[in-house]
Amino acid sequence: MKLRVKFKKYGPIRFIGHLDVMRYFQKAIRRAGLDVAYTGGYSPHQIMTFASPLGVGMESNGEYMDIEVHSLISCENAMERLNRAGADGIEITSVKVLPDNAGNAMASVAAAAYTVRFRQGREPAFHITQALPDFLAREQIPWQKETKKGVRELNLRQGIYELSWDGSAFHMLLDASSAGNIKPAQVIGAFLENCGQTLLENALLITREDLYTNTGTGEAPVLTSLGEIGSDKLPAETESAASSTSDRLPEEADFLREDEKLTDMETVR
């Protein structure tokens, strides 16, 4: 059975990298007592995949991880167990059972929504509301991206699906596919260059709000949140199996002692 776990990442834990987040969840899943599936062979590991890795220092309200389990009492039970076994700064907000034909989280990402604010004292010296329409009216927004193979020329405009300013923050929906993958800092940097200014170092506070998949076609895309795929109800054929395994699965009080709870990243490593 495939599950999609949605979680938030905030506070000091936003400074840990993607590999540490993977190790965190491997430990949290074991502490939570979930009946997780493992790969075969001489070095088995938990079957899990993550959506687009989050940049170090960024907060998020919509990160996703797919895992496989042999049995499950309920999605709500799994969410509660993971939250009790976890650390401050990572909060599970939903667990859903994926349909058999669902793609994994990493391969499914097509777009990402962000909220971007300027740090105090690093705001641009012009009226953003007045300058934004001219920027969005451009058909070409060139941007040079440095890669291992050299400098690559990009047209950011093709990947900016939505961009607005509410007086205190930008709200944007950007291409996050493997072919595009536009970063919020690139968009803000190009916007400031269009207005004759330069983006200052460490000027932005970026929060990723959600990740989306394309449930339409390439010609007529329909962006749907990864969190809307699946159901929080168990398939009918697994309900009886879940009931039978509930007798052997430990209760929270049994598998989780207070001194075992992940309270800081030292326990994750």
Side-chain angles (χ1 to χ4, degrees):
M1 188 190 316
K2 296 181 180 179
L3 304 180
R4 175 155 295 163
V5 179
K6 182 179 181 180
F7 62 95
K8 295 180 178 181
K9 184 182 178 186
Y10 55 89
I13 210 167
R14 71 185 185 274
F15 293 110
I16 71 168
H18 180 63
L19 293 179
D20 282 329
V21 172
M22 291 179 62
R23 287 189 283 267
Y24 166 90
F25 274 107
Q26 289 168 356
K27 290 179 179 288
I29 287 171
R30 289 198 300 269
R31 292 174 185 268
L34 298 186
D35 192 14
V36 66
Y38 284 80
T39 60
Y42 292 102
S43 180
H45 58 273
Q46 295 174 11
I47 300 176
M48 64 169 56
T49 58
F50 288 79
S52 179
L54 187 67
V56 175
M58 292 173 54
E59 295 190 341
S60 177
N61 293 318
E63 296 301 292
Y64 295 90
M65 170 186 67
D66 291 352
I67 63 174
E68 290 190 24
V69 296
H70 295 296
S71 61
L72 187 70
I73 296 176
S74 69
C75 292
E76 183 179 1
N77 177 270
M79 182 177 69
E80 291 175 353
R81 289 187 174 206
L82 284 171
N83 277 329
R84 289 194 62 190
D88 294 338
I90 290 185
E91 177 187 349
I92 312 301
T93 58
S94 75
V95 175
K96 289 192 174 183
V97 179
L98 292 176
D100 293 337
N101 62 350
N104 67 57
M106 180 177 293
S108 299
V109 176
Y114 298 90
T115 299
V116 183
R117 294 178 172 83
F118 289 101
R119 293 183 186 274
Q120 187 174 3
R122 291 177 169 84
E123 304 89 346
F126 60 86
H127 202 289
I128 294 176
T129 303
Q130 295 177 356
L132 193 57
D134 176 68
F135 177 70
L136 293 175
R138 299 177 57 181
E139 294 183 359
Q140 296 282 333
I141 301 177
W143 184 263
Q144 290 187 341
K145 180 179 180 180
E146 294 185 3
T147 67
K148 295 180 179 179
K149 298 182 179 180
V151 178
R152 178 185 170 196
E153 191 78 20
L154 300 177
N155 177 18
L156 297 183
R157 188 63 187 90
Q158 296 176 343
I160 303 176
Y161 302 141
E162 297 176 10
L163 179 60
S164 62
W165 171 258
D166 66 5
S168 61
F170 287 99
H171 302 278
M172 58 183 73
L173 182 65
L174 306 178
D175 184 353
S177 65
S178 57
N181 199 20
I182 295 175
K183 306 297 184 184
Q186 295 173 340
V187 176
I188 303 302
F191 173 57
L192 294 183
E193 285 186 7
N194 187 64
C195 299
Q197 296 194 18
T198 302
L199 180 63
L200 299 177
E201 184 178 1
N202 199 30
L204 302 178
L205 294 170
I206 303 174
T207 300
R208 185 151 73 185
E209 301 294 348
D210 208 351
L211 293 169
Y212 298 84
T213 186
N214 181 14
T215 55
T217 64
E219 295 73 21
V222 177
L223 296 179
T224 303
S225 169
L226 289 182
E228 296 181 12
I229 307 299
S231 172
D232 56 4
K233 304 296 183 183
L234 296 183
E237 60 270 19
T238 64
E239 288 182 352
S240 58
S243 299
S244 64
T245 57
S246 63
D247 293 335
R248 65 179 178 83
L249 287 174
E251 295 296 328
E252 286 85 349
D254 296 330
F255 70 75
L256 181 63
R257 300 195 309 270
E258 188 63 29
D259 60 349
E260 288 182 327
K261 187 173 182 180
L262 296 176
T263 55
D264 55 60
M265 289 315 299
E266 289 300 320
T267 61
V268 176
R269 299 181 185 280

